[in-house]
Amino acid sequence: MLTRIDHIGIACFDLDKTIEFYRETYGFEVLHIEANEEQGLREAMLRINGTSDGGMSCLQLLESTREDSVVGKWLAKNGEGVHHIAFGTADVDGDADAIRDKGIRVLYDEPRIGSMGSRITFLHPKDCHGVLTELVTAAPSDRAGH
Amino acid sequence: MLTRIDHIGIACFDLDKTIEFYRETYGFEVLHIEANEEQGLREAMLRINGTSDGGMSCLQLLESTREDSVVGKWLAKNGEGVHHIAFGTADVDGDADAIRDKGIRVLYDEPRIGSMGSRITFLHPKDCHGVLTELVTAAPSDRAGH
C-alpha cells in the first residue's frame, strides 16, 4: 500500500548549483548526497516534511555524471525539470507484484537498491499517463530515524 | 516558510480515465473535483498522506477544457506528465515577496484563488531550474479539516 509521496525526482545540469538554488530560495537543506557510479548519477536528497506514515517527503536532485546515463539522455532531450515521482510503501515487493498483475509494466524483475539503502522499482511511464513512477521502501534504520 | 510538498500537478488528456488509473492501480481516492472556467481547467485532488505541518500532500490531476488554455497548450507540446510542483506555506504573500526579492520571477503580482479556496502563486520555471513551482496557502477551513 502506497502511503506517502516519498520524493519528487528533479534532473539538473549542475547538482551543486541546484542545491544552492533550493537552499537560497526556500531554505531547504541537504539531508544526504551520494554518487551512483553504475547509474552514472550524483544525487542529493532535500527533506521537505515528515509524513503521516512515519516517513518523509523529499526533493531528489539528480545530476548525470556520464552523457550516456539514463538521466543524461533525458536531460539532453528535455532540459532540466521533473524526471519522476516516487511513492513510499512498507512493501515494495508486494506492491510491485500487485501492480504488475494489473497489467502495468514494472521495469525491474526484483526491486533494486536505491538511495540511502532503500529498495526501489519503477513503473513504465507509458502505462502511467506519462509519469515515470517509482515505488520506494526506505531502509529500516532510515525509517526509524524519522 | 515552505513546510510541505502540497501537491504534484499532473496534466492529463482525460481526467476521468486518469482518476480511474490512480484508483485502480494504487487505491488513491478523489478528495475533491472542481472546474475552473477562467483557466479552462477541470481538476481532481487525490489525497496521498498527511504532513508534519498539519496539512496534506496530494496529486492534482489537470485536464484542459479549451485548446488555448495554459494546460491545453502544455499538453499539446509535451503530452501527459508532471506539469508543476507545489509547496505549502502558512504565508504565501510573505514567501512570494521574499522570493521575489531574491530575483526569482513571481508570475502573479498578488496571490490568486486556487483549488479548494487556497491562495496560490507561481514562480517562473526558467528561474527554478526548469520546474514550474507553485506556492500554496490552504484555506483556513480546509487546513482545520486535516
Side-chain angles (χ1 to χ4, degrees):
Chain A
M1 186 183 168
L2 310 186
T3 54
R4 70 177 174 277
I5 294 176
D6 187 86
H7 63 266
I8 302 169
I10 296 173
C12 61
F13 291 124
D14 184 316
L15 186 63
D16 297 330
K17 283 186 185 170
T18 309
I19 288 171
E20 193 54 26
F21 166 79
Y22 279 99
R23 179 189 292 126
E24 277 290 311
T25 309
Y26 309 120
F28 297 155
E29 297 292 342
V30 172
L31 177 70
H32 179 80
I33 291 189
E34 72 182 75
N36 186 320
E37 297 279 341
E38 186 190 338
Q39 291 180 40
L41 276 182
R42 209 162 65 94
E43 61 163 84
M45 282 286 190
L46 313 185
R47 184 186 187 280
I48 311 302
N49 58 267
T51 54
S52 47
D53 65 350
M56 60 181 175
S57 292
C58 293
L59 299 187
Q60 181 188 44
L61 307 179
L62 301 161
E63 176 194 69
S64 170
T65 54
R66 287 197 314 261
E67 276 183 22
D68 66 342
S69 72
V70 172
V71 171
K73 289 179 191 169
W74 191 92
L75 277 163
K77 183 179 172 192
N78 299 286
E80 296 186 309
V82 177
H83 176 264
H84 68 272
I85 69 174
F87 297 114
T89 166
D91 179 17
V92 64
D93 299 80
D95 284 334
D97 286 347
I99 289 168
R100 185 185 286 110
D101 286 347
K102 295 177 193 199
I104 311 294
R105 282 170 285 180
V106 178
L107 299 189
Y108 303 155
D109 289 337
E110 298 289 336
R112 298 183 187 177
I113 301 300
S115 55
M116 301 169 67
S118 60
R119 299 183 68 245
I120 65 171
T121 196
F122 285 91
L123 312 181
H124 199 300
K126 289 194 178 167
D127 294 346
C128 299
H129 289 269
V131 178
L132 177 59
T133 303
E134 180 179 349
L135 310 181
V136 187
T137 296
S141 60
D142 182 53
R143 281 185 67 84
H146 312 149
Chain B
M1 186 183 167
L2 310 185
T3 54
R4 70 178 173 278
I5 293 176
D6 187 86
H7 64 266
I8 302 169
I10 296 173
C12 62
F13 291 124
D14 184 315
L15 185 64
D16 297 330
K17 282 186 184 169
T18 309
I19 289 171
E20 192 54 26
F21 166 79
Y22 279 99
R23 179 189 291 126
E24 277 292 311
T25 309
Y26 310 119
F28 297 155
E29 296 293 342
V30 172
L31 176 70
H32 179 80
I33 292 189
E34 72 181 75
N36 186 321
E37 296 280 342
E38 185 190 337
Q39 291 181 40
L41 277 181
R42 210 160 64 95
E43 60 164 83
M45 281 286 190
L46 313 184
R47 183 186 187 281
I48 311 303
N49 58 268
T51 53
S52 47
D53 65 350
M56 59 180 175
S57 292
C58 293
L59 299 187
Q60 180 187 45
L61 307 178
L62 300 161
E63 175 193 70
S64 170
T65 54
R66 288 197 312 263
E67 276 183 21
D68 66 342
S69 72
V70 171
V71 170
K73 290 178 189 168
W74 191 92
L75 277 162
K77 183 179 172 192
N78 300 285
E80 296 185 309
V82 177
H83 176 264
H84 68 271
I85 69 174
F87 298 113
T89 166
D91 179 18
V92 63
D93 298 81
D95 284 335
D97 286 346
I99 289 168
R100 186 185 287 110
D101 286 347
K102 295 176 191 196
I104 310 294
R105 282 170 285 179
V106 178
L107 300 189
Y108 304 154
D109 289 337
E110 298 289 334
R112 298 183 186 177
I113 300 300
S115 55
M116 301 170 67
S118 60
R119 299 183 68 246
I120 66 170
T121 197
F122 285 92
L123 312 181
H124 199 301
K126 289 194 178 167
D127 294 346
C128 299
H129 289 269
V131 178
L132 177 60
T133 303
E134 181 180 348
L135 310 181
V136 187
T137 295
S141 61
D142 183 53
R143 282 185 67 84
H146 310 150

